[in-house]
Amino acid sequence: MLISFFCSSRQARSGTLLLILSLSLLITACSHAPLVPPEKAVTIVPEVTGRSTLPAPLPAPVPPRLGLALGGGGARGFAHIGVIQVLEEQGIKVDLLAGTSAGSLVAALYASGLSGREMALLAENMDEGVITDWAFPTRGLIRGEALARFVREKTGAKQIEQMKLPLGIVATDASDGSGILFRRGDTGTAVRASSSVPAVFQPVRIGGRDYVDGGLVAPVPVSYARKMGAEVVIAVDITSPPEEKPGGNAISMSAQSVSIMMRSINNYELREADIVLRPKLDGIGSADFTARKRSVQAGREAALVALPQIRAKIAAKTH
């Protein structure tokens, strides 16, 4: 029994020593084990879908369509060139043109691609005899075909619908007095029709109908520029006021009648314009080709004065 107890005690002590030794070794091993760094933070990368997560850029401002309505007035029409020069110099883009009589000539030249400077040089060197072809005084003193040829030559024989800028030319149907806006066809013929002042120029026959001066229905074709899609219309009024003491010859009386009629119609037509320019052309008659430089300068001055108003109107309708 004693031997058995002794053996049992010895075995117990041996087990206890073995346990202590194991724990000691484990502690020692742990003290020399390398440290394990903590896990790094996980970065979540968004799924690539091909669509940008940035906000879409705002659309660029769109300026309104700017239309020029160029009125009739014979040789006073050189003022239109001065207006166009200023708009070009100021970077104001014209989108379309509607013209009556002298205004139709300038509108056609500009729509074909000529600049304001080029038109001024053309006007300075132009001989009015080139656009005047006298006829027997049956239906008019001037045939007008010379004017048509001049237009074809200077515009490169472009048809109205082939112009670099949309162009509308206003004439009057002689049979019923209605207005027509030529948007297609021969540019020279349309300008000739628009410029055919009754009793001065012969009427122009187109499609079986006679057409005369567009100033009888629209001295400054503002409403026609609107029909063409203009959102802002700059009207250039160069009409001559009626003379206090008109001459007694046929041409003077005809011009006086037209002036009175134009003034009445203009009061209505110009209401639709956003800006009305009236170049100071005092003392310059509709047949005064010698004052072309003065007319161009008068157009420039009128446009320069109106620049703040023009810019404000364009800004107000920019969307």
Side-chain angles (χ1 to χ4, degrees):
M1 176 68 70
L2 182 60
I3 295 173
S4 176
F5 174 78
F6 176 78
C7 291
S8 297
S9 299
R10 186 177 180 179
Q11 290 175 349
R13 287 195 301 271
S14 298
T16 301
L17 290 173
L18 182 60
L19 178 60
I20 293 171
L21 180 59
S22 298
L23 290 173
S24 176
L25 290 173
L26 179 61
I27 293 171
T28 302
C30 289
S31 64
H32 290 85
L35 294 175
V36 178
E39 293 186 9
K40 294 182 179 180
V42 177
T43 302
I44 300 176
V45 180
E47 181 183 359
V48 178
T49 61
R51 293 176 295 180
S52 173
T53 58
L54 297 176
L58 295 175
V62 179
R65 295 194 74 198
L66 177 63
L68 281 185
L70 306 182
R76 295 159 66 95
F78 292 112
H80 294 316
I81 297 174
V83 171
I84 290 172
Q85 284 181 332
V86 170
L87 295 179
E88 285 184 329
E89 293 164 4
Q90 296 297 319
I92 298 174
K93 179 179 175 292
V94 175
D95 295 295
L96 60 91
L97 299 105
T100 292
S101 194
S104 73
L105 171 58
V106 175
L109 295 174
Y110 190 55
S112 73
L114 293 180
S115 67
R117 182 176 179 275
E118 290 170 329
M119 287 192 295
L121 289 173
L122 179 63
E124 184 177 344
N125 298 313
M126 187 178 73
D127 178 5
E128 58 268 30
V130 175
I131 61 173
T132 305
D133 46 354
W134 297 97
F136 292 107
T138 52
R139 305 180 71 196
L141 298 176
I142 301 175
R143 291 179 60 236
E145 183 55 37
L147 173 61
R149 285 196 302 268
F150 177 82
V151 172
R152 295 186 194 108
E153 176 188 346
K154 301 306 178 183
T155 61
K158 292 184 179 71
Q159 299 285 292
I160 297 173
E161 66 272 19
Q162 295 174 330
M163 294 294 179
K164 294 183 178 181
L165 291 175
L167 171 65
I169 296 175
V170 180
T172 303
D173 190 324
S175 62
D176 60 12
S178 61
I180 182 171
L181 182 68
F182 289 110
R183 297 294 310 277
R184 301 181 62 84
D186 181 66
T187 308
T189 301
V191 171
R192 175 187 173 189
S194 182
S195 305
S196 294
V197 179
V200 178
F201 282 82
Q202 293 181 352
V204 179
R205 197 158 187 82
I206 303 173
R209 302 182 75 86
D210 287 338
Y211 293 96
V212 294
D213 187 9
L216 299 176
V217 291
V220 185
V222 177
S223 60
Y224 290 93
R226 292 284 187 202
K227 290 178 182 178
M228 292 174 64
E231 296 172 280
V232 172
V233 177
I234 300 175
V236 186
D237 181 13
I238 57 167
T239 54
S240 301
E243 297 182 13
E244 295 182 3
K245 296 180 180 180
N249 58 61
I251 295 180
S252 295
M253 292 305 297
S254 175
Q256 180 75 350
S257 299
V258 171
S259 294
I260 294 172
M261 190 178 304
M262 283 183 173
R263 169 167 287 192
S264 178
I265 297 171
N266 256 1
N267 291 335
Y268 175 79
E269 186 78 9
L270 293 174
R271 293 177 185 175
E272 295 190 38
D274 293 283
I275 302 102
V276 179
L277 305 183
R278 291 187 174 91
K280 295 181 179 180
L281 299 167
D282 299 340
I284 301 176
S286 59
D288 189 357
F289 282 83
T290 63
R292 62 193 74 179
K293 285 187 178 181
R294 285 175 54 201
S295 296
V296 171
Q297 183 60 31
R300 288 185 59 86
E301 292 172 358
L304 287 169
V305 170
L307 271 177
Q309 184 185 5
I310 294 171
R311 293 193 187 282
K313 288 289 185 181
I314 292 174
K317 294 192 178 183
T318 296
H319 47 83

